[in-house]
Amino acid sequence: MTDENSRLLKNKSLPNVSSAAGALRSPTPTVPRLLTPGRPPLFSVPSSQSLRSMKSLNSINDPLVDTYINKNYGSNGRNGLSDDDLVGSSVLNFNIFNKLNNSKLDKVAYLAYYLPILNWLPKYNIRDSLLGDFLAGISLASFQIPLVMSIATSLAHLPPITGIYSIISAAVMYSILGCVPILIVGPSPSTAIMFGQMIEQIIHEKSFEAFSELEISSAISFTMSAILLGGGLLRFGFLDNVLSRALLKGFIAAMGLIMIINEFSTELGLVELAQTQPHLTTVDKLLFIVRYYKKAHILTFTISSITLAIVLVVRYVKGLLVNKYKKKSAIYFPDLLLMVVLATYLCQKLKWYENGVEIVGNINSTSASFKLVNPLDISKLPLYKKTFSTAFLCAILGYFDSTTATKALGAKYNYNVSSNRELIALGSSNFVVSLVSGLPSFGAFGRSTINILAGATTPMATLIMAACTVLAIIYLLPMLYFLPECVLALTTTIIGITVLQEIPHDLQFFWAIRGFDELGLFALVFVTTILWSAQAGVGLGILVAIVRVIRNSTRSRIQIMGRIPNTTVFRNADALIEESFAGFVNESTVNSHNSSSDNLLQTSSSQVPVSTPEAKLTHLIAEIEEIEGVLIIKIPEPLNFANASDLKSRMTRIERYGSLLVHPSQPSIRPFNNQTIKFVVFDCKGMNDIDSSATQVLYEIVRRYVEDDSIIVSFSRVPTNGQVREKFKKSGIASLVNQCNSKRQDTTNLDPSWSSSGMGDGFFLSIDEALKSIDFQNV
């Protein structure tokens, strides 16, 4: 039979290899396949080397590649290759890689990659983009201003002006560094809750009486920005894949409920009473409302109820117009802004403030002491130690919340989103926020969707929103003097209701697919956040996520392989994969092969008629179970210290039961020795890396098979990764395998050319070729 070298190096037609093992099977007549003229050999370059250098080819030391080079380019081999020799379609043409490597770096493009504003601002098209960006900026400012004021006062317990300064600073910085042009960065309600809880806790401690609320806010924001920047510089962006959707939804649902509960005292007019009855936890706040609801201020409660009902009805109508009747322009209706304007006008006109309704008052006077804060003051070191845990949890939660938005927008609009650059952009934004004692600011999908619907196409919409907010601070804030605090608190309540509306759909999906593990995680995070604290909910969620990742990474995924009838294809014998094979469909071919030496590899069930689908299924399962006397183990993953121990335990189960589907509590089905199993083939396709601990475990397995059990061990498809092969050689695995295989060279027709890349007699290019070396007559 023509060997693999000839098949790859020559342009000739070859018949397909039959499904039998070794020379006992005669080839199945099939239509010849024509190979591409001059087709190069199939080899891979070690991952530790670069295709940009000829060193990557020199380090392979592959006889197959040597044969190809000497045959096509003369006896001088690699060292004699010149640029002219390598001209053509050969995979060995490294000129293109050298040119790429030696090309001059475009410094402007490189700088614009990290400062996206240098990319979009010079190319900004005023005629096509300015109108949409302008309308989007005004629309965003109209609902962002009352929203962030409410978040600042109700959730973070800070002056409302801090929320407004937060959206200005965060928006400007993200427009300079952000990867997603239409993402809106601003104060996040979920992180603001943890922010407020920490501020409430610190201001009641005597050791921190010297620090104001603004200084505490600045310290948390600065620590959070340092964590985000550090994560970006250290390229920790991959961590955005750790937290599951159920975990995030559980926390978001809890945050929505907390936002609603936190505003009850303000909406019922119980603020003064609440100050005399300190209650920090969500449960305490709920019990406070239950205990004192009879003392609620009737007018305040009436204003809150009627305003909330009107806004919810308006939002429901907007949803119908946008989703059902496709009236996209309805999204522009500024319901929150109109709520604030009308409530302020009616309060002044009807003099609600004289009847006991609390009003916002002079916002500028509340911020008279507001100024830039130096976050690097060494005297604040105890404050940083106290707030670090909260800052860390805020950074993680905000980043994952923002990542959800960036991934959704990036996938929908084909943006090139880099997680590491996003970390740097968010960290820089929050650093500037810390200078103005602002709130933690992150991206949000809802606000970004409104930005898109309003016509935004570039970050210019964000800058226009910031400019409108500055104008509002100068000219419009004095007009909000008579704004009822209960109406401002309703903004947060409405956001909380909106958040909760998204949860039932996810729960219904998990229930429909019986995803009880995700439902349990959702409930665990939700209950912990409500009953304990937001920090505890996030911390527990992260702990569960880390445990799940570790558990998944320590589980070995080795497979017992079996041959598909009449093919050279091997599949997991413990799992039936729905796949079409010509040899299986053509029953006449199957029956003709079962009449001769094929019965060495076929079980008795192969003689059963396969006239029905059920019989065909049974026939296929029986035939792929095993090859008698041969155990084929596939290692489809990198081996490391984490999964090496599980590999060893699974190998023990295979030895005892011949399958991974049998529970280890059951009695052994058969003894494992050289009478039942004479050959073991390890297929290493996918094992592209192995560390020292895993190498030691693999060596112990191979040594026991070879020396203690007298079983012949072979390897197929070992990666060309230089580190993997070096560990095989230095650990003694290669010598053990080659030693036990060299003993049968005289009794078999093993062709040394099948040896895989100079590893020795026991290493092969495929499972099929490893089986061809086996003397089945003596199995």
Side-chain angles (χ1 to χ4, degrees), residues 512-682:
I513 64 173
R514 305 184 70 82
F516 299 126
D517 55 340
E518 298 296 325
L519 289 173
L521 179 59
F522 175 93
L524 179 64
V525 174
F526 179 83
V527 172
T528 303
T529 305
I530 294 294
L531 299 183
W532 196 343
S533 66
Q535 291 90 334
V538 176
L540 180 62
I542 294 173
L543 178 62
V544 172
I546 293 174
V547 170
R548 294 177 69 182
V549 170
I550 294 175
R551 179 187 176 188
N552 185 61
S553 63
T554 57
R555 181 177 299 174
S556 177
R557 294 168 179 80
I558 62 172
Q559 304 170 4
I560 304 175
M561 307 298 287
R563 188 198 295 273
I564 300 297
N566 301 313
T567 70
T568 57
V569 179
F570 292 82
R571 290 291 183 267
N572 185 1
D574 283 340
L576 181 63
I577 302 175
E578 186 176 3
E579 193 168 0
S580 175
F581 295 96
F584 173 65
V585 176
N586 190 344
E587 295 181 21
S588 61
T589 305
V590 174
N591 294 331
S592 65
H593 283 283
N594 285 340
S595 61
S596 59
S597 60
D598 294 352
N599 54 21
L600 289 173
L601 300 179
Q602 308 293 344
T603 63
S604 58
S605 63
S606 64
Q607 305 301 328
V608 179
V610 288
S611 57
T612 65
E614 292 79 7
K616 287 183 177 182
L617 185 62
T618 305
H619 179 79
L620 179 56
I621 294 175
E623 287 197 311
I624 67 173
E625 279 185 349
E626 69 174 280
I627 299 175
E628 185 178 356
V630 181
L631 184 61
I632 306 174
I633 304 297
K634 182 176 182 179
I635 307 177
E637 60 188 345
L639 291 181
N640 51 55
F641 69 95
N643 59 10
S645 297
D646 190 58
L647 168 70
K648 196 169 185 177
S649 63
R650 287 176 178 262
M651 289 296 301
T652 302
R653 288 178 62 184
I654 292 173
E655 295 167 5
R656 293 183 60 188
Y657 308 110
S659 172
L660 292 172
L661 302 179
V662 182
H663 194 272
S665 63
Q666 302 304 304
S668 179
I669 297 177
R670 64 183 182 183
F672 184 83
N673 51 49
N674 60 358
Q675 300 300 318
T676 57
I677 298 296
K678 295 187 177 183
F679 298 90
V680 174
V681 179
F682 286 99

Side-chain angles (χ1 to χ4, degrees), residues 8-76:
L8 293 174
L9 300 177
K10 296 180 181 179
N11 177 24
K12 64 184 299 183
S13 61
L14 294 175
N16 287 337
V17 181
S18 64
S19 62
L24 295 176
R25 302 182 65 101
S26 59
T28 304
T30 57
V31 178
R33 290 186 295 114
L34 292 177
L35 300 180
T36 305
R39 174 182 173 180
L42 301 176
F43 70 97
S44 58
V45 177
S47 60
S48 60
Q49 300 295 336
S50 171
L51 280 173
R52 301 175 186 273
S53 172
M54 287 295 291
K55 294 180 181 179
S56 62
L57 185 62
N58 293 332
S59 64
I60 296 178
N61 191 26
D62 191 339
L64 183 61
V65 179
D66 284 333
T67 305
Y68 177 77
I69 296 175
N70 293 332
K71 182 179 181 63
N72 290 273
Y73 301 110
S75 59
N76 290 332

Side-chain angles (χ1 to χ4, degrees), residues 65 91 108 167 199 205 210 265 275-276 364 449 461 463 476 511 577 625:
V65 179
V91 73
V108 175
I167 61 173
I199 292 176
E205 295 186 14
S265 59
Q275 292 175 351
T276 62
N364 290 328
T449 302
L463 296 176
L476 300 182
W511 181 267
I577 302 175
E625 279 185 349

